[in-house]
Amino acid sequence: MTWILDLLPNCLRLLHNMLARIPHPRVDYVVVEVAGSYPEREPPRPPMLQRMVAPPWKKPGESLEALRCRLDRIGAAAHVRGVVLRIRGIDGGVATAATVQSLRGAVLGLREKGKRVVAYLPEADLPTYYLAAAADEIWMPAPGHWNALGLRVEVTFLRGALDRAGVVPEYERIAEYKTAADIFMRSGISKEHREVLESVLDSVLAEFTADVGKDRNLEPGALRSAIDQAPLEAEAAREAGLIDGVGYEDELPARLGSEERPAAVKPWALAHRRLPLPYAWRRRRPAIGVVQLVGTIVPGESRELPVPLPLVGSRYAGCDTVARAFRAAERSPRVRAIVFHVDSPGGSALASDLIWREVERLKARKPVVAFMGDVAGSGGYYVSCGASRIVAHPSTITGSIGVIGGKMTARGMLARLGLNREIVARGEAATLESAFEPYTPDQLDGVRRRMSAIYRTFVGKVAAGRGKSEEEVEAVARGRIWTGRQAAERGLVDELGDFTSAVRRARELAGIPEGQEADVITVHPPRAAGVPAPAGSPAGLALGGAVVASALAAWATIRELSREPALLLMED
C-alpha cells in the first residue's frame, strides 16, 4: 500500500517532466548564484515564533545538500549544455576550507556528467577562486581584481584587558598544544601555538596550490608567486593563466554561443521550470540516515543563540538531542547505516562522552561513518573516534586531543568597583565553582586530577577506536590540531573525501549493492515535549518573551560550560 502514497506526487512530476521537454523557451546555460556559508545539510525548520524574531543575518542560507540537488537536476537535463556559476562570495576563512572543497566536488561532479561549467567572478578572493578553478573556464569583468591574497589567522589575546579589569583567569591544560584558553591566559602567542597555526596554514595552502595547479595546468611555484604579487588586475590575471577571459556578464551569451546565435543563459528562477524532477519511490528503498552534530557540545538540548559568544559561538549541540536522533535511526527499519556529520570545536567532556557512547552502542547494530566538516576537534574528535570509519576533507581541522579546565575569578573587578562580596560556605570544595573566590591549592589539585583522568580516558578511547596503542595516540595527541590530510597520515582519519564519499562508505558497510538505489535522509530527533504558549498572546508579548528566552538561554549555556572543571574544547 505504501506505493500508493508516492503515486500522486510522482504523477505530478511526470507531468512536469513532459512539459519540460517542450523546446521553447530555450535554455542552454543555467545561472547558479553561489554565496553564503553552505552548511552540509538543511537545518531543522525552527518554530514559527523563532523565525519571526530571527534577525536578518540569522536567516538560513542555501545548504550543500540543496545545491547538489540543483546541480543534479541540471545534470539530468539533456537539453542544457552547462552552468554559469556566478560566485559572489563564500563566508569564512581557513576554518571553512573544507566547505570550499565540498563545493568543488559538486562542480566536478557536474562536469563528469558532460556539462560545461563557466565561473563568472566579479571579484576573486582565495576561497571564491579555489571554487572557480574547478570550472572549465573562469571569466572576470575588466575592473575586477584577482585578490587571492593568501591565508592568515588572527588571534586576539585578552590577558592585558583582564588584568586591567581585575579578572584573574585560572586555567590549566593538557598538554602544551592545547591552546584554547591561551587568549585568556597569555598576552601573546606561544611557540607551540604558532607552530600549530603555521603547520595548518602550510597544509591548507598546499592543498590549494596542488588542486588549482592541476585545474589550471600551473606549476605550484608560479601559483605561489601570483599569490605573493596579488592583487592583480583582471587582464594581468588572464595573462598569467589564472583566468580564461575578461568581459562583462552581458557578453557571456555571445561568447558561449556565437554572434549569430547567442546561447540562452537563464537564471535559476526561470530555468528550473525547464529542468526534470527526479521520481521518488522512497518508502520502498533502504536509506542511509544522517545524524548531525553542529556547534559546541553541551549537556541537554540543542539550541542556537542570537549572538555568538567568545570561543564557543552561537550554535550548541545538546547531547540529549543528538542521542534521540541516534536512537530514532536505530529504531527505523529503513535506515541501514548512519553518516554521523560532525562540525564542532568540542565542548563539554561529559556531553561528548555520552554522545560517544551512543556511537559505540549503535555501531554494533548498524555501521556508523563519521564525516567531519570544517572543524571536528577536541570533543568533536572524541564523539567521532569510535565510529566504524572516519571520513574527513583534506582541509578539515581536527585532532586537538587534550583537555582544558578552570574558571575566571572576578573578585578583583568587584573591589575596583567598590563592591565587596562575602561568601559563607561549608565544605572544602563549596567555592570550587564560584567566580568570586580563587581556587585553593587543594581545589586546584582536584581540578588537575580530574583533567588528567579525562585526558587518559580520551586517549584510551581514541586508541580503542583507531586500533592503536595509547603510546601511539599520545604521540599525535597533547592538544595538537591537524588538517584532515595530516590526520589521515597519522591514522586519526581513515580516508579523505566529502559527504558523498561518506555516504558511499556507509552503503558499502551496510552491504547495499552498488546498483541498488538508496535514499539519504536526515534523521531529526523526536521533539521533546514543550510548554505551549498561551492562546491569543499578543505579538509584542511573544516577541518580548522570545528575547528574554534567548537571553536566559545564553546565560544558561555560559553557566553549563563554566561549571565543568574540564572541557574538550579547541579554538574555532
Side-chain angles (χ1 to χ4, degrees):
M1 292 295 293
T2 56
W3 65 272
I4 298 177
L5 299 175
D6 285 329
L7 188 58
L8 179 58
N10 280 308
C11 285
L12 294 175
R13 292 182 179 222
L14 174 62
L15 178 61
H16 170 93
N17 293 345
M18 292 174 65
L19 294 174
R21 293 176 183 170
I22 298 174
H24 296 289
R26 182 167 58 96
V27 177
D28 294 321
Y29 287 84
V30 180
V31 179
V32 175
E33 299 269 352
V34 178
S37 58
Y38 286 93
E40 183 62 52
R41 308 287 288 177
E42 293 289 340
R45 189 171 177 81
M48 176 65 74
L49 179 61
Q50 188 173 334
R51 297 200 300 272
M52 289 171 59
V53 302
W57 61 86
K58 296 295 289 185
K59 301 297 183 184
E62 185 177 38
S63 67
L64 281 162
E65 176 188 17
L67 179 63
R68 288 191 189 101
C69 288
R70 289 210 282 167
L71 297 183
D72 285 344
R73 288 183 63 188
I74 295 170
H79 62 283
V80 176
R81 292 167 54 192
V83 164
V84 173
L85 286 180
R86 197 171 193 278
I87 308 174
R88 290 188 173 275
I90 302 167
D91 295 348
V94 176
T96 58
T99 292
V100 181
Q101 289 171 339
S102 282
L103 290 166
R104 283 175 50 85
V107 171
L108 294 172
L110 184 62
R111 290 179 59 186
E112 289 174 359
K113 296 176 182 177
K115 303 299 182 183
R116 183 183 180 189
V117 180
V118 178
Y120 182 78
L121 302 177
E123 290 285 336
D125 60 12
L126 193 141
T128 58
Y129 183 72
Y130 192 13
L131 172 58
D136 293 281
E137 298 177 51
I138 305 174
W139 291 80
M140 182 180 289
H145 284 81
W146 191 82
N147 289 329
L149 304 177
L151 300 170
R152 73 177 186 274
V153 176
E154 298 181 2
V155 185
T156 300
F157 292 89
L158 307 177
R159 183 59 187 266
L162 293 175
D163 289 343
R164 291 184 181 184
V167 177
V168 179
E170 296 186 277
Y171 287 100
E172 299 289 323
R173 64 180 180 180
I174 301 176
E176 67 272 18
Y177 291 101
K178 193 68 176 177
T179 58
D182 278 14
I183 61 172
F184 306 119
M185 296 293 295
R186 299 179 59 88
S187 58
I189 194 167
S190 68
K191 66 181 182 63
E192 293 86 3
H193 198 171
R194 182 179 294 278
E195 177 188 344
V196 167
L197 293 182
E198 289 180 346
S199 174
V200 168
L201 290 177
D202 287 342
S203 181
V204 173
L205 190 58
E207 293 291 335
F208 171 85
T209 53
D211 291 341
V212 174
K214 181 180 178 181
D215 295 333
R216 304 293 305 170
N217 196 26
L218 292 170
E219 291 294 329
L223 195 54
R224 284 295 299 269
S225 177
I227 292 172
D228 292 338
Q229 295 172 28
L232 300 175
E233 295 181 350
E235 186 57 39
R238 187 193 64 79
E239 292 174 356
L242 299 167
I243 65 175
D244 297 286
V246 177
Y248 290 101
E249 191 175 14
D250 60 272
E251 298 177 287
L252 283 177
R255 293 176 185 250
L256 296 176
S258 64
E259 292 290 345
E260 298 76 20
R261 195 174 190 272
V265 182
K266 303 292 183 183
W268 172 264
L270 299 177
H272 78 276
R273 302 186 185 95
R274 301 274 294 112
L275 301 176
L277 287 167
Y279 300 105
W281 303 98
R282 296 177 180 150
R283 293 175 178 84
R284 307 186 67 184
R285 296 204 296 243
I288 304 299
V290 181
V291 173
Q292 298 192 84
L293 188 161
V294 180
T296 302
I297 301 168
V298 296
E301 301 297 329
S302 297
R303 72 209 74 158
E304 185 166 3
L305 304 183
V307 179
L309 300 174
L311 194 63
V312 293
S314 62
R315 295 192 68 179
Y316 301 92
C319 61
D320 292 351
T321 306
V322 176
R324 289 202 310 276
F326 272 117
R327 292 170 188 179
E330 181 181 14
R331 290 192 300 267
S332 173
R334 285 188 64 211
V335 174
R336 300 271 296 276
I338 293 91
V339 171
F340 183 26
H341 171 221
V342 179
D343 202 331
S344 171
S348 161
L350 173 60
S352 298
D353 190 80
L354 295 177
I355 295 171
W356 169 88
R357 178 59 184 174
E358 292 297 320
V359 174
E360 187 72 13
R361 186 184 59 78
L362 182 55
K363 74 175 183 181
R365 298 193 57 190
K366 299 180 179 182
V368 179
V369 176
F371 167 64
M372 296 177 168
D374 288 316
V375 177
S378 201
Y381 188 79
Y382 192 116
V383 300
S384 306
C385 69
S388 309
R389 298 280 287 183
I390 300 178
V391 178
H393 287 285
S395 296
T396 293
I397 304 301
T398 188
S400 193
I401 302 169
V403 185
I404 61 171
K407 65 179 181 179
M408 297 279 195
T409 305
R411 176 174 288 277
M413 182 178 67
L414 291 185
R416 294 183 183 188
L417 295 173
L419 302 175
N420 180 35
R421 188 179 183 91
E422 297 288 354
I423 300 175
V424 179
R426 291 294 182 273
E428 294 298 323
T431 61
L432 182 70
E433 297 174 358
S434 173
F436 303 100
E437 190 70 23
Y439 287 132
T440 66
D442 288 343
Q443 288 173 349
L444 189 56
D445 285 343
V447 170
R448 289 169 176 163
R449 285 195 302 272
R450 182 172 178 181
M451 288 173 57
S452 180
I454 291 173
Y455 181 68
R456 295 318 324 163
T457 298
F458 194 171
V459 169
K461 289 183 175 178
V462 172
R466 309 307 303 148
K468 294 179 175 291
S469 68
E470 292 191 9
E471 290 74 17
E472 290 175 311
V473 174
E474 180 70 22
V476 295
R478 306 193 64 75
R480 178 151 187 169
I481 63 173
W482 309 98
T483 63
R485 185 173 297 280
Q486 292 171 332
E489 292 168 353
R490 290 158 177 81
L492 296 176
V493 166
D494 291 301
E495 60 185 279
L496 300 176
D498 59 8
F499 179 78
T500 56
S501 304
V503 170
R504 187 165 53 247
R505 183 64 59 203
R507 284 177 55 105
E508 178 185 301
L509 295 176
I512 300 174
E514 188 172 344
Q516 182 179 355
E517 293 186 352
D519 296 312
V520 179
I521 60 174
T522 300
V523 180
H524 297 298
R527 289 186 180 275
V531 178
S537 297
L541 187 61
L543 175 59
V547 173
V548 171
S550 295
L552 292 175
W555 175 245
T557 300
I558 294 171
R559 281 188 58 81
E560 283 174 355
L561 292 174
S562 64
R563 289 179 65 181
E564 287 206 36
L567 294 172
L568 305 180
L569 188 66
M570 62 175 283
E571 63 272 26
D572 189 4

